[in-house]
Amino acid sequence: MQVTEYKPKIVAFCCNWCSYAGADLAGNNRLAYPAEVKIIRVPCSCRVNPMFILRAFQRGADGVIICGCHPGDCHYTSGNYYTRRRMALLFSMLNYLGIEKERTRVEWVSAAEGAKFAATMNDFVQTVAALGENKRLEDLRCKL
Amino acid sequence: MQRIGVFVCWCGSNIAGTVDVEAVSEALKKEPGVVFSTNYQYMCSQAGQDIIKNAIAEHKLSGIVVCSCSPRMHETTFRKTAAAAGLNPYMVEIANIREQCSWVHKDKLTGTEKAIILGRTAIAKVNLNAPLTPGESPVTKRALVIGGGIAGIQTALDIADAGFEVDIVEKQPTIGGKMAQLDKTFPTLDCAACILTPKMVDVAQHEKIRIFSYSEVESVSGFVGNFTVNIKKKARYVKEDVCTGCGLCTEKCPQKNVPNEFNLGMDNRRAIYIPFAQAVPKVATIDPRYCTMLKTGKCGVCSKVCTAGAIDYKAKDEYIEEKYGAIVVATGYNPISMEKFDEFAYSQSKDVITSLEFERLTNAAGPTAGVLLRPSDHKHPKTIVFVQCVGSRCSGAEKGKEYCSKICCMYTAKHAMLTRDKYPDTDVYVFYIDVRTPGKAFDEFYRRAVEEYGVHYIKGMVGKVSPQGDKLMVQASDLLANKQLHIEADLVVLAAAIEPDASARPLATMLTASMDTNDFFTEAHPKLRPVESPTAGVFLSGTCQGPKDIPETVSQAGAAAAKVIGLLAKDKLTGNPCVAHSNELMCNGCSSCERVCPYGAITYEDKEFRMPDRTTRMRRVAKVNEAVCQGCGACTVACPSGAMDLKGFASAQIMAEVDAICK
Ligand SMILES: Cc1cc2nc3c(=O)[nH]c(=O)nc-3n(C[C@H](O)[C@H](O)[C@H](O)COP(=O)(O)OP(=O)(O)OC[C@H]3O[C@@H](n4cnc5c(N)ncnc54)[C@H](O)[C@@H]3O)c2cc1C
Ligand code: SF4
Ligand code: SF4
């Protein structure tokens, strides 16, 4: 019997200045991470509206990760602090709704941290894969 | 509906090696809106760009997606290509199928699958793109420098030498700042006045520079290229253009007991005064707190002796409004108050002084004409104890500062060395936590103090200074010898930490420039944009940004000037079109967006709206200043009514991307 490996759907929001560049550096250095990760470029992690994350889960994403500059290094000085506070609230609310904490993450990745980017993605995909598919918020009407 | 063209790049074998480019361009043909799709070896090459240009013309494309390397690499290239073919450059999206696909995945099937999804995502976004045009605004070709210390002086001179007008606003009656009070300067020991005063004269004589001394900034409005600043010229009761600076009045004024701030209160001046001989502008000023004429209407001596007729007891504060393209903050620093450090007995003994007071005591133009004498009894001190780090590097303490003031190790070495040089019979002790001397020729300088001049450097802190008779008993620990020391000193000199000027905080609020917790101005980027504030058009020069010595201050001042010149050289500023925009119909004027904007880009205006019943109503709505907005998007998330959106990264676009990924 052939077992098809379960492949989670991961949406990664990366800020233009640090994390997106970090992802590019992972590419330059050919540091592999699972293809399940698809990146959306945003100017700053603080552009990520909780609505986008809810939308992703509604459309069947299994995990959502937001990457931004390290605290103190934000291109816009304070954007990542907003992200940190907003996401802490959102994630605990999602947890309450049954979306496990492990499916959501905020990570600081600088433009110099290609290796950290790849390692973070490897770890995140593994963690999410271990939880299995996310059915909690998925709106099947969207699939019609 | 858009007419989208898709261009898949092979990047030689960089992409084509792990991604089946043919399959990708075929698959993407089926996506909504796509009317043309192709692939080519090198899209960024001339030939590749020609393919794009021709396709735009031939298929009347309204948007394009290039599946290639990172947008950080070639987004600009492809935007230019589009523009050359008459397409709005912001109708271009890049799917990053190299750095984020072919280079990180090894299996061709996986790579191809992911590339298709990334292409699909970019197409979903482009479907919602709208042409964007960067806003343009004119530039007022004049700069304002706030603060006339060495930082402000150097910045003003550099800007003026490039041919632009500069105004300096200095709150004191003269420019010069702290450097004018110093005696000799490390590491070369040239005298501060000899190198500073010629620069002050250059400023005074420069046809492009105006000095507003004894003046302060009252209010600032506008944005980069177009600031309007209100300057308050405090009444000095002396007509600046008439006073010749002869100084006769300052000798005849009967009010003799005014503490002289230039000598840090160690001697007195008159109620009418010129701070020092080389002051610029060299004009007298009446101190209204002490002048009997101004207080009681009786006296008028200065007006009688002034042959030029410059005295004007009826003068009032004047307000001047001026436009500027750029503003440089150069408000400098002050030594902290010694109030909270009474273990060193600063308030109990005149012979416990700060290092800046020591500078005045050794300065030929100071209260003792440069002879080192104890302030209490005017005797030569035989034993001097220098205490470093007073109020610096105080971790977690409620008194003092956590940071290192950076200059104290060097000026203490200077003071110790100069003392031993002039008075070899004096015993000099320096107590330190660490001696920090990074900098060109700095460590050599410190070692000379120890090795050539025999200064006793002792690692350890001074615990207490107690005045006993005419002596100061110094209790300290010697950490290396692990013992307690008791030194009978004649003079104790405290290297007080330095902090930003108290006026910096209100000024920062006026400029919407950000500050750190210590009230130093923050830079736009600590490494890459060190002389710009995050607020466009506001620049930082000198110690207002962090502790610095003179060489560093001057280099930073020049760097700030270069940035200002770069700005003023432009006739028009082209903005970034990816800025926030609020939908007036949805906005409820709640201010949530204004509070999160790090640049102060959001203001409010009252607008008239037609109600369904045909009446009109005034409502307060948010308005984004496109020239100031940097496009971070913080406000879009803060907005509770969904009125605020970001052009180029609109909520609908990002959600379309999310949908395309999760399909
Ligand atoms: C005891 C001592 C010894 C030193 N010795 C040396 C040395 O030997 N070598 C060396 O390299 N460095 C030395 N330094 C450091 C040196 O003094 C500074 O690096 C330098 O003065 C910094 O210049 P600045 O223009 O940034 O600041 P400042 O000299 O403080 O100038 C700031 C100016 O802005 C004005 N201002 C402030 N706020 C406002 C406002 N709101 N509106 C208008 N005007 C305003 C102030 O009145 C002042 O004129 C020493 C410092 C101390 C304390
Ligand atoms: S996008 Fe950022 S910079 Fe622009 S108005 Fe909103 S918060 Fe301010
Ligand atoms: S946050 Fe939204 S509703 Fe509130 S003022 Fe700003 S744009 Fe208007």
Side-chain angles (χ1 to χ4, degrees), chain B residues 43 53 109 135 196 242 245 279 285-286 291 329 342 366-367 454 484 486 489 491 536 551 555 567 637 648:
Chain B
M43 273 299 163
K53 284 188 216 163
L109 203 64
L196 176 68
V242 180
T285 305
I286 295 182
C291 170
V329 186
D342 219 39
Q484 288 296 313
H486 297 271
L491 189 69
S555 6
L567 171 62
V637 184

PDB file of all heavy atoms in Angstrom, chain B residues 43 53 109 135 196 242 245 279 285-286 291 329 342 366-367 454 484 486 489 491 536 551 555 567 637 648:
ATOM      1  N   MET B  43      15.168  36.853 -19.389  1.00  0.00           N
ATOM      2  CA  MET B  43      14.176  37.912 -19.540  1.00  0.00           C
ATOM      3  C   MET B  43      14.767  39.302 -19.337  1.00  0.00           C
ATOM      4  O   MET B  43      14.314  40.280 -19.891  1.00  0.00           O
ATOM      5  CB  MET B  43      13.035  37.715 -18.538  1.00  0.00           C
ATOM      6  CG  MET B  43      11.941  36.814 -19.049  1.00  0.00           C
ATOM      7  SD  MET B  43      11.174  37.486 -20.526  1.00  0.00           S
ATOM      8  CE  MET B  43      10.357  36.050 -21.156  1.00  0.00           C
ATOM      9  N   LYS B  53       8.274  44.144 -24.317  1.00  0.00           N
ATOM     10  CA  LYS B  53       7.774  45.379 -24.946  1.00  0.00           C
ATOM     11  C   LYS B  53       6.876  45.060 -26.145  1.00  0.00           C
ATOM     12  O   LYS B  53       5.794  45.642 -26.294  1.00  0.00           O
ATOM     13  CB  LYS B  53       8.946  46.241 -25.419  1.00  0.00           C
ATOM     14  CG  LYS B  53       9.642  46.982 -24.283  1.00  0.00           C
ATOM     15  CD  LYS B  53      10.661  47.956 -24.853  1.00  0.00           C
ATOM     16  CE  LYS B  53      11.877  48.027 -23.957  1.00  0.00           C
ATOM     17  NZ  LYS B  53      13.044  48.609 -24.586  1.00  0.00           N
ATOM     18  N   LEU B 109       9.643  18.174 -10.281  1.00  0.00           N
ATOM     19  CA  LEU B 109       8.188  18.180 -10.197  1.00  0.00           C
ATOM     20  C   LEU B 109       7.710  19.167  -9.123  1.00  0.00           C
ATOM     21  O   LEU B 109       6.834  19.997  -9.359  1.00  0.00           O
ATOM     22  CB  LEU B 109       7.708  16.754  -9.843  1.00  0.00           C
ATOM     23  CG  LEU B 109       6.262  16.449 -10.236  1.00  0.00           C
ATOM     24  CD1 LEU B 109       6.102  16.505 -11.749  1.00  0.00           C
ATOM     25  CD2 LEU B 109       5.854  15.088  -9.683  1.00  0.00           C
ATOM     26  N   GLY B 135       3.541  60.972  -6.472  1.00  0.00           N
ATOM     27  CA  GLY B 135       3.244  62.385  -6.322  1.00  0.00           C
ATOM     28  C   GLY B 135       4.516  63.212  -6.438  1.00  0.00           C
ATOM     29  O   GLY B 135       5.617  62.723  -6.204  1.00  0.00           O
ATOM     30  N   LEU B 196      37.972  76.608  16.712  1.00  0.00           N
ATOM     31  CA  LEU B 196      36.531  76.863  16.604  1.00  0.00           C
ATOM     32  C   LEU B 196      36.212  78.285  16.132  1.00  0.00           C
ATOM     33  O   LEU B 196      35.370  78.483  15.250  1.00  0.00           O
ATOM     34  CB  LEU B 196      35.840  76.601  17.952  1.00  0.00           C
ATOM     35  CG  LEU B 196      34.343  76.932  17.989  1.00  0.00           C
ATOM     36  CD1 LEU B 196      33.555  75.968  17.118  1.00  0.00           C
ATOM     37  CD2 LEU B 196      33.801  76.918  19.412  1.00  0.00           C
ATOM     38  N   VAL B 242      22.737  97.570  15.288  1.00  0.00           N
ATOM     39  CA  VAL B 242      23.357  98.839  15.682  1.00  0.00           C
ATOM     40  C   VAL B 242      24.543  98.608  16.623  1.00  0.00           C
ATOM     41  O   VAL B 242      25.571  99.276  16.542  1.00  0.00           O
ATOM     42  CB  VAL B 242      22.304  99.763  16.359  1.00  0.00           C
ATOM     43  CG1 VAL B 242      22.937 101.078  16.779  1.00  0.00           C
ATOM     44  CG2 VAL B 242      21.136 100.012  15.406  1.00  0.00           C
ATOM     45  N   GLY B 245      29.443  95.917  19.502  1.00  0.00           N
ATOM     46  CA  GLY B 245      30.154  94.918  20.295  1.00  0.00           C
ATOM     47  C   GLY B 245      31.346  95.483  21.037  1.00  0.00           C
ATOM     48  O   GLY B 245      32.251  94.738  21.430  1.00  0.00           O
ATOM     49  N   ALA B 279      32.482  85.959  20.778  1.00  0.00           N
ATOM     50  CA  ALA B 279      31.087  85.599  20.530  1.00  0.00           C
ATOM     51  C   ALA B 279      30.656  86.007  19.115  1.00  0.00           C
ATOM     52  O   ALA B 279      31.120  87.004  18.580  1.00  0.00           O
ATOM     53  CB  ALA B 279      30.183  86.276  21.554  1.00  0.00           C
ATOM     54  N   THR B 285      23.631  91.577  25.229  1.00  0.00           N
ATOM     55  CA  THR B 285      22.279  91.118  25.529  1.00  0.00           C
ATOM     56  C   THR B 285      21.957  91.541  26.962  1.00  0.00           C
ATOM     57  O   THR B 285      22.817  91.423  27.831  1.00  0.00           O
ATOM     58  CB  THR B 285      22.208  89.577  25.432  1.00  0.00           C
ATOM     59  OG1 THR B 285      22.678  89.181  24.152  1.00  0.00           O
ATOM     60  CG2 THR B 285      20.788  89.061  25.643  1.00  0.00           C
ATOM     61  N   ILE B 286      20.755  92.026  27.189  1.00  0.00           N
ATOM     62  CA  ILE B 286      20.370  92.351  28.561  1.00  0.00           C
ATOM     63  C   ILE B 286      19.607  91.177  29.149  1.00  0.00           C
ATOM     64  O   ILE B 286      18.681  90.642  28.524  1.00  0.00           O
ATOM     65  CB  ILE B 286      19.482  93.618  28.614  1.00  0.00           C
ATOM     66  CG1 ILE B 286      20.286  94.835  28.155  1.00  0.00           C
ATOM     67  CG2 ILE B 286      18.946  93.846  30.032  1.00  0.00           C
ATOM     68  CD1 ILE B 286      19.525  96.152  28.215  1.00  0.00           C
ATOM     69  N   CYS B 291      18.293  92.935  35.166  1.00  0.00           N
ATOM     70  CA  CYS B 291      18.397  94.354  34.803  1.00  0.00           C
ATOM     71  C   CYS B 291      17.436  95.194  35.643  1.00  0.00           C
ATOM     72  O   CYS B 291      16.224  94.973  35.642  1.00  0.00           O
ATOM     73  CB  CYS B 291      18.088  94.511  33.321  1.00  0.00           C
ATOM     74  SG  CYS B 291      17.891  96.211  32.810  1.00  0.00           S
ATOM     75  N   VAL B 329      18.752  68.880  12.974  1.00  0.00           N
ATOM     76  CA  VAL B 329      18.736  69.039  14.424  1.00  0.00           C
ATOM     77  C   VAL B 329      20.169  68.903  14.925  1.00  0.00           C
ATOM     78  O   VAL B 329      20.853  67.920  14.621  1.00  0.00           O
ATOM     79  CB  VAL B 329      17.865  67.966  15.104  1.00  0.00           C
ATOM     80  CG1 VAL B 329      17.757  68.246  16.587  1.00  0.00           C
ATOM     81  CG2 VAL B 329      16.492  67.929  14.481  1.00  0.00           C
ATOM     82  N   ASP B 342      25.271  62.965  45.607  1.00  0.00           N
ATOM     83  CA  ASP B 342      25.874  63.738  46.676  1.00  0.00           C
ATOM     84  C   ASP B 342      26.906  62.965  47.482  1.00  0.00           C
ATOM     85  O   ASP B 342      27.590  63.540  48.319  1.00  0.00           O
ATOM     86  CB  ASP B 342      24.811  64.359  47.575  1.00  0.00           C
ATOM     87  CG  ASP B 342      25.239  65.765  47.985  1.00  0.00           C
ATOM     88  OD1 ASP B 342      25.800  66.459  47.113  1.00  0.00           O
ATOM     89  OD2 ASP B 342      25.064  66.135  49.157  1.00  0.00           O
ATOM     90  N   GLY B 366      39.204  81.821  31.202  1.00  0.00           N
ATOM     91  CA  GLY B 366      38.282  81.419  32.268  1.00  0.00           C
ATOM     92  C   GLY B 366      38.402  82.296  33.505  1.00  0.00           C
ATOM     93  O   GLY B 366      39.113  83.304  33.506  1.00  0.00           O
ATOM     94  N   PRO B 367      37.733  81.911  34.589  1.00  0.00           N
ATOM     95  CA  PRO B 367      37.673  82.750  35.792  1.00  0.00           C
ATOM     96  C   PRO B 367      39.023  82.941  36.485  1.00  0.00           C
ATOM     97  O   PRO B 367      39.199  83.894  37.235  1.00  0.00           O
ATOM     98  CB  PRO B 367      36.698  81.997  36.706  1.00  0.00           C
ATOM     99  CG  PRO B 367      36.656  80.606  36.184  1.00  0.00           C
ATOM    100  CD  PRO B 367      36.923  80.692  34.723  1.00  0.00           C
ATOM    101  N   GLY B 454      52.987  59.914  34.342  1.00  0.00           N
ATOM    102  CA  GLY B 454      52.895  59.355  35.688  1.00  0.00           C
ATOM    103  C   GLY B 454      51.577  59.609  36.394  1.00  0.00           C
ATOM    104  O   GLY B 454      51.539  59.817  37.607  1.00  0.00           O
ATOM    105  N   GLN B 484      41.171  48.909  50.220  1.00  0.00           N
ATOM    106  CA  GLN B 484      40.505  50.198  50.342  1.00  0.00           C
ATOM    107  C   GLN B 484      41.541  51.307  50.367  1.00  0.00           C
ATOM    108  O   GLN B 484      42.598  51.157  50.967  1.00  0.00           O
ATOM    109  CB  GLN B 484      39.685  50.239  51.646  1.00  0.00           C
ATOM    110  CG  GLN B 484      38.437  49.371  51.609  1.00  0.00           C
ATOM    111  CD  GLN B 484      37.436  49.840  50.559  1.00  0.00           C
ATOM    112  OE1 GLN B 484      37.142  51.019  50.476  1.00  0.00           O
ATOM    113  NE2 GLN B 484      36.947  48.908  49.740  1.00  0.00           N
ATOM    114  N   HIS B 486      42.345  55.548  51.040  1.00  0.00           N
ATOM    115  CA  HIS B 486      41.899  56.825  51.600  1.00  0.00           C
ATOM    116  C   HIS B 486      42.848  57.879  51.084  1.00  0.00           C
ATOM    117  O   HIS B 486      44.033  57.838  51.378  1.00  0.00           O
ATOM    118  CB  HIS B 486      41.904  56.792  53.125  1.00  0.00           C
ATOM    119  CG  HIS B 486      40.954  55.776  53.663  1.00  0.00           C
ATOM    120  ND1 HIS B 486      39.626  56.072  53.922  1.00  0.00           N
ATOM    121  CD2 HIS B 486      41.110  54.459  53.954  1.00  0.00           C
ATOM    122  CE1 HIS B 486      39.020  54.983  54.360  1.00  0.00           C
ATOM    123  NE2 HIS B 486      39.895  53.989  54.379  1.00  0.00           N
ATOM    124  N   ALA B 489      42.567  64.712  49.323  1.00  0.00           N
ATOM    125  CA  ALA B 489      42.676  65.453  48.064  1.00  0.00           C
ATOM    126  C   ALA B 489      42.363  66.929  48.266  1.00  0.00           C
ATOM    127  O   ALA B 489      41.694  67.322  49.223  1.00  0.00           O
ATOM    128  CB  ALA B 489      41.715  64.864  47.045  1.00  0.00           C
ATOM    129  N   LEU B 491      41.355  68.713  45.368  1.00  0.00           N
ATOM    130  CA  LEU B 491      40.362  68.995  44.335  1.00  0.00           C
ATOM    131  C   LEU B 491      39.826  67.656  43.832  1.00  0.00           C
ATOM    132  O   LEU B 491      40.613  66.712  43.645  1.00  0.00           O
ATOM    133  CB  LEU B 491      41.034  69.765  43.181  1.00  0.00           C
ATOM    134  CG  LEU B 491      40.134  70.334  42.088  1.00  0.00           C
ATOM    135  CD1 LEU B 491      39.293  71.476  42.633  1.00  0.00           C
ATOM    136  CD2 LEU B 491      40.985  70.844  40.917  1.00  0.00           C
ATOM    137  N   ALA B 536      11.053  62.093   7.068  1.00  0.00           N
ATOM    138  CA  ALA B 536      11.703  62.563   5.844  1.00  0.00           C
ATOM    139  C   ALA B 536      11.975  64.056   5.929  1.00  0.00           C
ATOM    140  O   ALA B 536      11.120  64.832   6.373  1.00  0.00           O
ATOM    141  CB  ALA B 536      10.815  62.259   4.643  1.00  0.00           C
ATOM    142  N   PRO B 551      35.830  65.081  16.649  1.00  0.00           N
ATOM    143  CA  PRO B 551      36.041  64.513  15.300  1.00  0.00           C
ATOM    144  C   PRO B 551      34.811  63.796  14.765  1.00  0.00           C
ATOM    145  O   PRO B 551      34.433  63.960  13.607  1.00  0.00           O
ATOM    146  CB  PRO B 551      37.196  63.529  15.500  1.00  0.00           C
ATOM    147  CG  PRO B 551      37.859  63.915  16.766  1.00  0.00           C
ATOM    148  CD  PRO B 551      36.875  64.663  17.603  1.00  0.00           C
ATOM    149  N   SER B 555      32.432  64.848  11.518  1.00  0.00           N
ATOM    150  CA  SER B 555      32.172  63.983  10.353  1.00  0.00           C
ATOM    151  C   SER B 555      30.682  63.763  10.179  1.00  0.00           C
ATOM    152  O   SER B 555      30.180  63.753   9.053  1.00  0.00           O
ATOM    153  CB  SER B 555      32.889  62.632  10.408  1.00  0.00           C
ATOM    154  OG  SER B 555      33.543  62.417  11.598  1.00  0.00           O
ATOM    155  N   LEU B 567      19.169  66.633  -1.110  1.00  0.00           N
ATOM    156  CA  LEU B 567      17.732  66.927  -1.138  1.00  0.00           C
ATOM    157  C   LEU B 567      17.460  68.277  -1.793  1.00  0.00           C
ATOM    158  O   LEU B 567      16.604  68.406  -2.678  1.00  0.00           O
ATOM    159  CB  LEU B 567      17.192  66.898   0.302  1.00  0.00           C
ATOM    160  CG  LEU B 567      15.770  67.384   0.561  1.00  0.00           C
ATOM    161  CD1 LEU B 567      14.763  66.518  -0.178  1.00  0.00           C
ATOM    162  CD2 LEU B 567      15.463  67.362   2.054  1.00  0.00           C
ATOM    163  N   VAL B 637      -3.884  48.418   9.404  1.00  0.00           N
ATOM    164  CA  VAL B 637      -4.340  47.378  10.323  1.00  0.00           C
ATOM    165  C   VAL B 637      -5.000  48.003  11.540  1.00  0.00           C
ATOM    166  O   VAL B 637      -5.937  47.446  12.111  1.00  0.00           O
ATOM    167  CB  VAL B 637      -3.165  46.465  10.727  1.00  0.00           C
ATOM    168  CG1 VAL B 637      -3.652  45.334  11.605  1.00  0.00           C
ATOM    169  CG2 VAL B 637      -2.483  45.905   9.481  1.00  0.00           C
ATOM    170  N   GLY B 648      -0.752  49.503  -3.850  1.00  0.00           N
ATOM    171  CA  GLY B 648       0.308  48.574  -4.226  1.00  0.00           C
ATOM    172  C   GLY B 648       0.349  47.340  -3.342  1.00  0.00           C
ATOM    173  O   GLY B 648       0.863  46.299  -3.739  1.00  0.00           O
TER     174      GLY B 648
END
